[in-house]
């Protein structure tokens, strides 16, 4: 039988990249005055190299704020990876958490670790010569997908209809649009118009981005039930577990949430209170793939649907390895960062046969890099 060959991490390269977005992107948080329109995404890349010449690439991200904090924290703890065996991913995640324990085990501190963790999983799958989903144990070679990037509130209903047509023509199978405006009647008008345009056969989701209080959410969601939605997303504050549980019990439409939570412990509160029907963890936000897999096990044990948030380049692999038929969110924002494209066809996102995540960084990514840090093994 072949024996495993030991290998060691010899260098870590961190890159902070500012990805510009086309115009100001606005969801309900902008219209309620809580945030400014989004004009860029800060992406943190980690490239981990070993003495055997292998390389893994991983990334995390931040919207509106937090990118410099993630980069700074990652730069501080990166030396703890040098000399380590890259196969020991769970142990290394724990080591890095303890290296920065004074700033906690959630939020920016663990989000900074996501780029390392994803890179280690990418490297491990490449060592095996397998796509990451196959290394994890895939249940399927493609995953249902829905588009969000064409449904924001800064665009008119007519523009959203056009976006939806292009989305469906591209092979994506469903559409999600934003709601949560101060004018509830306008929310309902937009949903009704898009549902009429799509017809009854195209799955439609709505996302309020946490902008309703409990009474408003109950009233509006009851009306939204007539539109045969796949789910209603973030109707309440992400940490209002009891409110979500009450709403879930009162509706026949599925309730979805989880994208804003940044740890397994926070998601577990949603799970154990039966607060959602669809769990939406985000691997970069919870600290990487290692933590996401723990959440996926909990979600499956509680018979929940899974619909990971954003970062489809990572999540298509994780969703493909989930026992229950999941969804993956299609966002085209990150396209310029990679040389490859995920294939969408017949309403599904298809795995490639490339090893690891199957991505390489584009020349444009290098051009948008605003800070770098390299940590090497002592010579």
């Amino acid at each position: 039988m072949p024996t495993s060959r030991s290998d060691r991490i010899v260098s870590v390269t961190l890159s902070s990249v500012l990805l510009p977005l086309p115009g100001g992107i606005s969801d309900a948080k902008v219209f309620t005055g809580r945030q400014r329109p989004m004009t860029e995404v800060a992406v943190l890349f980690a490239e981990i190299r070993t003495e055997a010449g292998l390389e893994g690439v991983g990334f995390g991200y931040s919207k509106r704020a937090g990118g410099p904090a993630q980069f700074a924290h990652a730069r501080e703890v990166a030396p703890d990876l040098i000399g380590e065996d890259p196969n020991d991913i769970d142990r290394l995640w724990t080591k890095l958490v303890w290296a920065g324990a004074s700033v906690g085990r959630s939020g920016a501190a663990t989000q900074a670790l996501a780029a390392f963790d994803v890179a280690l999983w990418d490297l491990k799958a490449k060592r095996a010569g397998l796509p990451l989903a196959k290394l994890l144990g895939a249940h399927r070679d493609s995953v249902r997908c829905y588009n969000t990037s064409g449904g924001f509130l800064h665009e008119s209903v007519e523009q959203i209809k056009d976006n939806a047509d292009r989305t469906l023509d591209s092979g994506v199978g469903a559409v999600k649009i934003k709601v949560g405006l101060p004018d509830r009647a306008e929310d309902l008008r937009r949903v009704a118009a898009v549902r009429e345009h799509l017809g009854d056969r195209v799955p439609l989701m709505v996302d309020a981005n946490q902008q309703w209080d409990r009474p408003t959410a109950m009233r509006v969601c009851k009306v939204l039930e007539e539109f045969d939605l796949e789910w209603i997303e973030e109707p309440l504050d992400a940490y209002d577990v009891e409110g979500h549980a009450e709403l879930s019990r009162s509706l026949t439409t599925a309730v979805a949430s989880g994208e804003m939570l940044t740890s397994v412990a926070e998601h577990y509160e949603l799970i154990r209170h039966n607060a959602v029907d669809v769990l939406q963890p985000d691997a970069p936000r919870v600290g990487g793939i290692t933590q996401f897999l723990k959440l996926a096990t909990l979600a499956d044990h509680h018979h929940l649907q899974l619909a990971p948030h954003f970062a489809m380049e990572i999540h298509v692999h994780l969703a493909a390895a989930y026992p229950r038929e999941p969804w993956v969110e299609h966002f085209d924002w990150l396209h310029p960062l990679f040389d490859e494209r995920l294939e969408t066809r017949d309403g599904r996102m298809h795995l490639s046969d490339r090893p690891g995540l199957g991505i390489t960084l584009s020349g444009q990514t290098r051009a948008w890099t605003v800070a770098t840090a390299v940590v090497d093994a002592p010579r």
Side-chain angles (χ1 to χ4, degrees):
M1 295 291 290
T3 57
S4 61
R5 184 182 63 180
S6 64
D7 199 2
R8 300 291 168 183
I9 296 171
V10 295
S11 74
V12 178
T13 300
L14 295 170
S15 303
S16 178
V17 177
L18 287 183
L19 166 69
L21 297 175
I25 307 295
S26 297
D27 57 22
K29 298 187 294 293
V30 173
F31 287 87
T32 58
R34 289 175 169 168
Q35 288 185 341
R36 297 186 300 273
M38 190 175 359
T39 58
E40 63 188 16
V41 178
V43 185
L44 173 64
F45 284 102
E47 298 167 83
I48 297 178
R49 295 178 179 86
T50 75
E51 59 188 2
L54 298 174
E55 178 179 300
V57 178
F59 68 92
Y61 71 94
S62 180
K63 298 176 181 177
R64 292 187 174 91
Q70 291 180 15
F71 179 78
H73 188 71
R75 183 175 54 192
E76 281 191 297
V77 301
D80 285 55
L81 289 173
I82 301 301
E84 288 284 6
D85 185 334
N87 294 296
D88 301 340
I89 301 176
D90 190 74
R91 180 179 65 81
L92 293 179
W93 195 90
T94 301
K95 180 180 182 181
L96 294 176
V97 164
W98 280 105
S102 65
V103 290
R105 300 186 186 184
S106 64
T110 46
Q111 288 175 29
L113 307 185
F116 298 131
D117 187 79
V118 173
L120 290 170
W121 279 103
D122 179 55
L123 192 156
K124 194 167 193 172
K126 287 175 177 174
R127 183 192 296 277
L130 295 170
L132 177 61
K134 295 296 185 181
L135 179 73
L136 297 174
H139 285 265
R140 57 194 65 83
D141 293 325
S142 66
V143 183
R144 294 182 298 178
C145 60
Y146 69 96
N147 178 265
T148 294
S149 48
F152 279 82
L153 289 171
H154 63 279
E155 294 188 312
S156 68
V157 171
E158 292 306 312
Q159 184 61 58
I160 289 175
K161 291 179 184 178
D162 290 343
N163 294 343
D165 290 341
R166 284 193 295 272
T167 287
L168 299 175
D169 289 343
S170 74
V172 176
V175 172
K176 187 174 80 179
I177 67 171
K178 300 291 186 175
V179 293
L181 289 166
D183 183 349
R184 314 302 176 211
E186 178 62 12
D187 274 339
L188 296 173
R189 185 187 74 82
R190 290 167 71 92
V191 175
V194 174
R195 170 48 85 198
E196 181 180 13
H197 180 74
L198 295 176
D200 296 332
R201 300 184 65 181
V202 176
L204 175 64
M205 303 84 161
V206 301
D207 181 359
N209 286 111
Q210 309 177 78
Q211 295 309 291
W212 293 330
D213 57 24
R214 290 186 184 184
T216 301
M218 189 65 73
R219 288 196 301 270
V220 178
C221 288
K222 289 284 190 181
V223 178
L224 286 172
E225 295 222 85
E226 71 180 79
F227 298 110
D228 190 26
L229 301 174
E230 191 74 19
W231 68 66
I232 300 170
E233 184 171 329
E234 287 194 324
L236 298 167
D237 184 278
Y239 293 91
D240 184 2
V241 174
E242 292 181 356
H244 275 94
E246 180 182 1
L247 194 61
S248 294
R249 288 191 297 268
S250 302
L251 300 176
T252 58
T253 304
V255 173
S257 191
E259 69 177 69
M260 296 304 297
L261 305 182
T262 61
S263 69
V264 173
E266 291 169 356
H267 281 81
Y268 183 59
E269 290 303 298
L270 285 179
I271 294 171
R272 75 183 186 92
H273 284 91
N274 297 313
V276 293
D277 307 289
V278 183
L279 195 68
Q280 298 181 296
D282 182 317
R285 283 182 174 166
V286 298
I289 292 169
T290 299
Q291 300 304 297
F292 185 101
L293 294 176
K294 296 177 182 179
L295 275 175
T297 299
L298 289 170
D300 178 48
H301 180 69
H302 287 80
H303 312 286
L304 294 178
Q305 296 183 62
L306 188 75
H309 169 256
F310 201 61
M312 62 186 182
E313 294 79 6
I314 299 170
H315 289 137
V316 66
H317 294 275
L318 305 185
Y322 190 64
R324 303 169 192 278
E325 182 71 51
W327 287 91
V328 168
E329 186 171 29
H330 181 274
F331 259 95
D332 56 16
W333 293 357
L334 302 187
H335 277 172
L337 301 178
F338 308 112
D339 289 330
E340 300 80 9
R341 295 289 179 270
L342 290 165
E343 180 187 5
T344 54
R345 175 169 37 89
D346 300 325
R348 302 181 72 86
M349 188 176 294
H350 293 257
L351 290 171
S352 77
D353 58 3
R354 297 184 295 270
L357 292 176
I359 58 174
T360 53
L361 304 189
S362 69
Q364 185 61 68
T365 298
R366 306 300 183 187
W368 285 335
T369 298
V370 295
T372 59
V374 179
V375 179
D376 293 310
R379 298 186 183 277

